Tab-separated table of all heavy atoms in Angstrom:
chain	number	residue	atom	x	y	z
A	309	LEU	N	-14.386	72.933	17.697
A	309	LEU	CA	-14.418	71.841	18.671
A	309	LEU	C	-14.561	70.480	17.956
A	309	LEU	O	-13.902	69.491	18.285
A	309	LEU	CB	-15.583	72.068	19.645
A	309	LEU	CG	-15.602	71.085	20.814
A	309	LEU	CD1	-14.411	71.339	21.729
A	309	LEU	CD2	-16.908	71.204	21.564
A	310	LYS	N	-15.424	70.535	16.901
A	310	LYS	CA	-15.663	69.330	16.115
A	310	LYS	C	-14.349	68.824	15.473
A	310	LYS	O	-14.035	67.628	15.492
A	310	LYS	CB	-16.670	69.646	15.012
A	310	LYS	CG	-17.850	68.690	14.995
A	310	LYS	CD	-18.771	69.098	13.918
A	310	LYS	CE	-19.770	68.015	13.639
A	310	LYS	NZ	-20.579	68.383	12.513
A	311	LYS	N	-13.608	69.799	14.920
A	311	LYS	CA	-12.345	69.472	14.251
A	311	LYS	C	-11.353	68.852	15.253
A	311	LYS	O	-10.720	67.814	15.001
A	311	LYS	CB	-11.758	70.737	13.632
A	311	LYS	CG	-10.732	70.436	12.553
A	311	LYS	CD	-10.303	71.684	11.863
A	311	LYS	CE	-9.111	71.400	10.972
A	311	LYS	NZ	-8.459	72.621	10.583
A	312	LYS	N	-11.280	69.492	16.439
A	312	LYS	CA	-10.356	69.012	17.479
A	312	LYS	C	-10.710	67.577	17.896
A	312	LYS	O	-9.863	66.709	18.072
A	312	LYS	CB	-10.430	69.924	18.699
A	312	LYS	CG	-9.456	71.088	18.606
A	312	LYS	CD	-9.379	71.790	19.930
A	312	LYS	CE	-8.379	72.924	19.865
A	312	LYS	NZ	-8.577	73.854	20.959
A	313	LEU	N	-12.043	67.393	18.012
A	313	LEU	CA	-12.533	66.080	18.437
A	313	LEU	C	-12.159	64.984	17.418
A	313	LEU	O	-11.712	63.891	17.776
A	313	LEU	CB	-14.062	66.153	18.586
A	313	LEU	CG	-14.655	65.182	19.601
A	313	LEU	CD1	-14.105	65.512	20.992
A	313	LEU	CD2	-16.165	65.272	19.585
A	314	SER	N	-12.339	65.352	16.127
A	314	SER	CA	-12.017	64.325	15.125
A	314	SER	C	-10.512	64.059	15.055
A	314	SER	O	-10.087	62.921	14.844
A	314	SER	CB	-12.601	64.667	13.749
A	314	SER	OG	-12.272	65.981	13.435
A	315	ILE	N	-9.686	65.103	15.280
A	315	ILE	CA	-8.229	64.871	15.302
A	315	ILE	C	-7.888	63.923	16.449
A	315	ILE	O	-7.123	62.961	16.311
A	315	ILE	CB	-7.458	66.206	15.446
A	315	ILE	CG1	-7.615	67.012	14.165
A	315	ILE	CG2	-5.972	65.963	15.746
A	315	ILE	CD1	-7.037	68.404	14.212
A	316	LEU	N	-8.544	64.190	17.599
A	316	LEU	CA	-8.308	63.355	18.780
A	316	LEU	C	-8.708	61.894	18.497
A	316	LEU	O	-7.991	60.939	18.823
A	316	LEU	CB	-9.120	63.917	19.956
A	316	LEU	CG	-8.795	63.277	21.300
A	316	LEU	CD1	-7.386	63.699	21.732
A	316	LEU	CD2	-9.816	63.700	22.356
A	317	LEU	N	-9.859	61.753	17.817
A	317	LEU	CA	-10.346	60.403	17.512
A	317	LEU	C	-9.375	59.660	16.599
A	317	LEU	O	-9.062	58.488	16.808
A	317	LEU	CB	-11.727	60.491	16.843
A	317	LEU	CG	-12.894	60.617	17.812
A	317	LEU	CD1	-14.198	60.769	17.054
A	317	LEU	CD2	-12.969	59.402	18.730
A	318	VAL	N	-8.897	60.388	15.568
A	318	VAL	CA	-7.931	59.782	14.640
A	318	VAL	C	-6.674	59.366	15.404
A	318	VAL	O	-6.140	58.260	15.242
A	318	VAL	CB	-7.575	60.777	13.502
A	318	VAL	CG1	-6.392	60.251	12.679
A	318	VAL	CG2	-8.779	61.020	12.624
A	319	PHE	N	-6.236	60.247	16.317
A	319	PHE	CA	-5.040	59.975	17.107
A	319	PHE	C	-5.232	58.698	17.949
A	319	PHE	O	-4.405	57.785	17.944
A	319	PHE	CB	-4.747	61.196	17.994
A	319	PHE	CG	-3.544	60.987	18.871
A	319	PHE	CD1	-2.256	61.012	18.329
A	319	PHE	CD2	-3.687	60.772	20.242
A	319	PHE	CE1	-1.149	60.816	19.127
A	319	PHE	CE2	-2.588	60.563	21.037
A	319	PHE	CZ	-1.307	60.597	20.490
A	320	VAL	N	-6.401	58.649	18.609
A	320	VAL	CA	-6.689	57.489	19.473
A	320	VAL	C	-6.713	56.211	18.629
A	320	VAL	O	-6.137	55.181	18.991
A	320	VAL	CB	-8.040	57.701	20.208
A	320	VAL	CG1	-8.500	56.414	20.885
A	320	VAL	CG2	-7.893	58.810	21.233
A	321	ALA	N	-7.362	56.315	17.451
A	321	ALA	CA	-7.448	55.136	16.577
A	321	ALA	C	-6.065	54.693	16.131
A	321	ALA	O	-5.738	53.497	16.142
A	321	ALA	CB	-8.312	55.464	15.357
A	322	LEU	N	-5.232	55.675	15.783
A	322	LEU	CA	-3.882	55.342	15.317
A	322	LEU	C	-3.067	54.662	16.405
A	322	LEU	O	-2.382	53.661	16.171
A	322	LEU	CB	-3.151	56.613	14.855
A	322	LEU	CG	-3.425	57.025	13.415
A	322	LEU	CD1	-2.743	58.338	13.106
A	322	LEU	CD2	-2.957	55.932	12.452
A	323	VAL	N	-3.200	55.205	17.615
A	323	VAL	CA	-2.478	54.599	18.747
A	323	VAL	C	-2.939	53.150	18.914
A	323	VAL	O	-2.150	52.214	19.081
A	323	VAL	CB	-2.705	55.414	20.034
A	323	VAL	CG1	-2.174	54.665	21.258
A	323	VAL	CG2	-2.007	56.761	19.916
A	324	GLY	N	-4.274	52.982	18.817
A	324	GLY	CA	-4.850	51.635	18.975
A	324	GLY	C	-4.295	50.679	17.929
A	324	GLY	O	-3.826	49.587	18.243
A	325	ILE	N	-4.321	51.117	16.656
A	325	ILE	CA	-3.849	50.256	15.567
A	325	ILE	C	-2.379	49.914	15.754
A	325	ILE	O	-1.972	48.757	15.645
A	325	ILE	CB	-4.082	50.942	14.202
A	325	ILE	CG1	-5.577	50.981	13.897
A	325	ILE	CG2	-3.342	50.213	13.087
A	325	ILE	CD1	-5.954	51.851	12.729
A	326	THR	N	-1.589	50.958	16.107
A	326	THR	CA	-0.151	50.708	16.290
A	326	THR	C	0.052	49.700	17.405
A	326	THR	O	0.893	48.803	17.314
A	326	THR	CB	0.574	52.022	16.665
A	326	THR	OG1	-0.075	53.086	16.030
A	326	THR	CG2	2.036	51.975	16.307
A	327	LYS	N	-0.773	49.840	18.448
A	327	LYS	CA	-0.628	48.919	19.590
A	327	LYS	C	-0.910	47.484	19.147
A	327	LYS	O	-0.159	46.563	19.453
A	327	LYS	CB	-1.623	49.316	20.678
A	327	LYS	CG	-0.948	50.005	21.831
A	327	LYS	CD	-1.869	50.036	23.004
A	327	LYS	CE	-1.099	50.314	24.266
A	327	LYS	NZ	-2.012	50.597	25.371
A	328	ILE	N	-2.030	47.350	18.367
A	328	ILE	CA	-2.382	46.007	17.906
A	328	ILE	C	-1.252	45.457	17.034
A	328	ILE	O	-0.805	44.336	17.172
A	328	ILE	CB	-3.707	46.021	17.112
A	328	ILE	CG1	-4.859	46.318	18.048
A	328	ILE	CG2	-3.947	44.684	16.413
A	328	ILE	CD1	-6.155	46.661	17.378
A	329	MET	N	-0.774	46.323	16.107
A	329	MET	CA	0.277	45.876	15.200
A	329	MET	C	1.551	45.515	15.956
A	329	MET	O	2.265	44.595	15.592
A	329	MET	CB	0.571	46.960	14.171
A	329	MET	CG	-0.455	46.946	13.040
A	329	MET	SD	-0.263	48.359	11.997
A	329	MET	CE	1.367	48.117	11.384
A	330	ALA	N	1.786	46.241	17.031
A	330	ALA	CA	3.042	46.038	17.735
A	330	ALA	C	2.979	44.871	18.718
A	330	ALA	O	3.995	44.464	19.248
A	330	ALA	CB	3.412	47.309	18.469
A	331	GLN	N	1.759	44.368	18.953
A	331	GLN	CA	1.642	43.314	19.949
A	331	GLN	C	2.387	42.048	19.504
A	331	GLN	O	2.195	41.571	18.389
A	331	GLN	CB	0.177	42.986	20.170
A	331	GLN	CG	-0.016	42.222	21.447
A	331	GLN	CD	-1.488	42.069	21.745
A	331	GLN	OE1	-2.276	41.810	20.838
A	331	GLN	NE2	-1.847	42.233	22.992
A	332	ASN	N	3.222	41.562	20.392
A	332	ASN	CA	3.981	40.362	20.045
A	332	ASN	C	3.078	39.139	20.045
A	332	ASN	O	2.091	39.088	20.774
A	332	ASN	CB	5.095	40.145	21.072
A	332	ASN	CG	6.160	41.216	20.982
A	332	ASN	OD1	6.190	42.003	20.033
A	332	ASN	ND2	7.029	41.259	21.981
A	333	ALA	N	3.460	38.152	19.244
A	333	ALA	CA	2.800	36.846	19.360
A	333	ALA	C	3.183	36.275	20.723
A	333	ALA	O	4.174	36.708	21.327
A	333	ALA	CB	3.275	35.943	18.238
A	334	ARG	N	2.393	35.332	21.211
A	334	ARG	CA	2.685	34.785	22.549
A	334	ARG	C	2.621	33.263	22.554
A	334	ARG	O	1.729	32.666	21.948
A	334	ARG	CB	1.678	35.332	23.560
A	334	ARG	CG	1.867	36.818	23.842
A	334	ARG	CD	1.035	37.267	25.001
A	334	ARG	NE	-0.377	37.013	24.775
A	334	ARG	CZ	-1.282	36.849	25.753
A	334	ARG	NH1	-0.925	36.909	27.017
A	334	ARG	NH2	-2.559	36.637	25.473
A	335	ILE	N	3.566	32.693	23.274
A	335	ILE	CA	3.534	31.240	23.535
A	335	ILE	C	3.676	31.088	25.043
A	335	ILE	O	4.633	31.595	25.625
A	335	ILE	CB	4.712	30.521	22.846
A	335	ILE	CG1	4.650	30.699	21.327
A	335	ILE	CG2	4.745	29.045	23.215
A	335	ILE	CD1	5.909	30.217	20.599
Side-chain angles (χ1 to χ4, degrees):
L309 187 68
K310 233 179 166 185
K311 199 173 170 196
K312 271 191 178 162
L313 208 62
S314 49
I315 291 174
L316 189 69
L317 276 177
V318 170
F319 179 73
V320 169
L322 275 176
V323 170
I325 290 169
T326 327
K327 255 195 162 169
I328 291 167
M329 280 171 62
Q331 197 172 41
N332 292 349
R334 290 190 302 155
I335 299 170

